[in-house]
Amino acid sequence: MAEAYRIVARHPGGPEVFAREEITPPQPGPGEVALRQTAVGVNFIDIYLRTGLYPWPPNEQTNHVLGSEGAGVVEAVGPGVTEFKPGDRVAYGTARGAFASHRVVPAAALVPLPASISDEVAAAIMLKGLTAYYLIHQSHPVQAGETVLVHAAAGGVGQILGPWLKLKGVKAIGTAGGPEKVALLSGLGYAEAVDYRSEDFVARVKEITGGAGVAAVYDSVGKDTILGSAAALKPFGTLVSFGQSSGTPDNFRIAHLAPSGGSVTRPTLFHFASSRDWLLKASAALFEAVGSGAIPARIDSVRPLEEIGAVQTDLAARRTVGATVLKP
């Protein structure tokens, strides 16, 4: 049997809190599946958790295992599990505890992987792809002909949103930091690209839309962009705040929506993925779009799981483009 280990965060703090621990591969309980993981995804939410911005579970105040998405092979199933069997390839996007070579996952959080999707691609797209799905199908259901704004468009979620919006006939304006990232956006389905470091993105949105504004803003940046996002809305537009990579957007007030009469929503993937029917429907749509080539799955870096601290440092500093995958 392959050596089993996990990466734990000893306590909230910087990337130095991570440590490797050898483990015995865990056995599944009722409703659970034991996995040998082959690929693990990297997401900003894990930085929020590591630093303590998001609270840790009461039973894991020390030695917390982070990570929310991964892919692997079923090694054993617990009592009551009928949907999966040993040898099945599976993936998940909302089961915390991914930074490990072997783990157990609730069967309700897993989806079967089709042959068209590799383990590495699955680990790169599950959380980000399912996030993109709810953003444009539930948070603000887009309509062909609309214009929307996507912040951090060169990031993991943004690289999926761009082609998916184009596929739906939506004109997407993307923002990114620096000329290199901006140059990527036209190849990702974005009709217009704005460098938020050197341009006033609100002014550019108004210029692009003839002063009308956008039907929706998908904002994962937070503090640095939230007020401009509200100002960029057309009348009755929707501000979708789904992240805070620049800091918590405490500077936002409901009154900032008064000029547009718009609305704001703060969804999370966990709200949607708690529905098994939604999870299966959304993942099937994601796999079809990626498997057909309509949405490219770009993996820019594959690194050992033990390097998660350095990987998170690069992600927080916005030195990454697209997805990074970790290999146990």
Side-chain angles (χ1 to χ4, degrees):
M1 181 176 291
E3 182 180 20
Y5 68 95
R6 63 180 188 171
I7 304 295
V8 301
R10 297 297 192 193
H11 51 78
E16 72 281 353
V17 303
F18 286 120
R20 172 176 167 142
E21 284 188 350
E22 308 304 316
I23 61 171
T24 299
Q27 296 303 304
E32 293 182 334
V33 171
L35 296 183
R36 174 178 56 80
Q37 299 208 115
T38 54
V40 174
V42 177
N43 298 280
F44 236 101
I45 189 174
D46 300 314
I47 297 177
Y48 301 154
L49 284 161
R50 188 205 72 218
T51 60
L53 179 63
Y54 287 1
W56 290 18
N59 62 335
E60 286 192 42
Q61 292 300 296
T62 60
N63 295 341
H64 184 31
V65 182
L66 304 179
S68 299
E69 70 178 339
V73 179
V74 174
E75 294 212 314
V77 299
V81 176
T82 59
E83 192 174 351
F84 302 104
K85 65 184 185 303
D88 285 349
R89 297 174 58 245
V90 295
Y92 61 91
T94 58
R96 291 178 181 172
F99 294 167
S101 65
H102 296 72
R103 66 168 304 194
V104 295
V105 179
L110 293 171
V111 297
L113 274 183
S116 59
I117 304 296
S118 71
D119 293 8
E120 291 77 16
V121 166
I125 67 171
M126 280 298 293
L127 188 148
K128 291 172 277 291
L130 293 176
T131 297
Y133 183 90
Y134 81 67
L135 289 174
I136 63 177
H137 291 87
Q138 276 87 35
S139 299
H140 172 79
V142 294
Q143 303 295 321
E146 284 185 332
T147 301
V148 303
L149 176 65
V150 177
H151 288 304
V157 173
Q159 290 203 17
I160 296 174
L161 276 175
W164 216 336
L165 288 165
K166 183 176 182 180
L167 193 64
K168 288 181 170 292
V170 176
K171 180 178 181 179
I173 304 169
T175 73
E180 291 184 1
K181 289 187 176 182
V182 168
L184 295 172
L185 299 190
S186 63
L188 293 171
Y190 289 94
E192 301 283 350
V194 180
D195 187 341
Y196 68 82
R197 290 181 181 169
S198 62
E199 300 178 90
D200 179 338
F201 74 81
V202 178
R204 287 283 289 122
V205 165
K206 293 301 178 72
E207 176 188 340
I208 292 166
T209 61
V214 292
V217 181
Y218 299 103
D219 189 334
S220 64
V221 177
K223 182 179 180 180
D224 289 353
T225 55
I226 196 75
L227 299 187
S229 294
L233 291 174
K234 68 184 295 185
F236 311 114
T238 304
L239 170 53
V240 184
S241 173
F242 70 104
Q244 50 202 41
S245 61
S246 69
T248 306
D250 293 334
N251 49 336
F252 174 77
R253 300 289 184 270
I254 290 296
H256 289 124
L257 292 171
S260 67
S263 59
V264 62
T265 181
R266 179 55 173 96
T268 73
L269 175 57
F270 299 96
H271 291 139
F272 296 102
S274 62
S275 164
R276 182 68 178 163
D277 288 343
W278 184 91
L279 180 60
L280 291 173
K281 178 181 179 181
S283 59
L286 174 64
F287 294 155
E288 180 180 1
V290 172
S292 70
I295 296 177
R298 175 173 173 175
I299 299 174
D300 288 281
S301 180
V302 178
R303 297 171 69 172
L305 177 58
E306 292 94 327
E307 294 182 7
I308 181 56
V311 169
Q312 286 193 348
T313 298
D314 290 343
L315 182 62
R318 302 184 187 181
R319 290 193 289 264
T320 63
V321 177
T324 298
V325 172
L326 303 173
K327 298 287 285 185

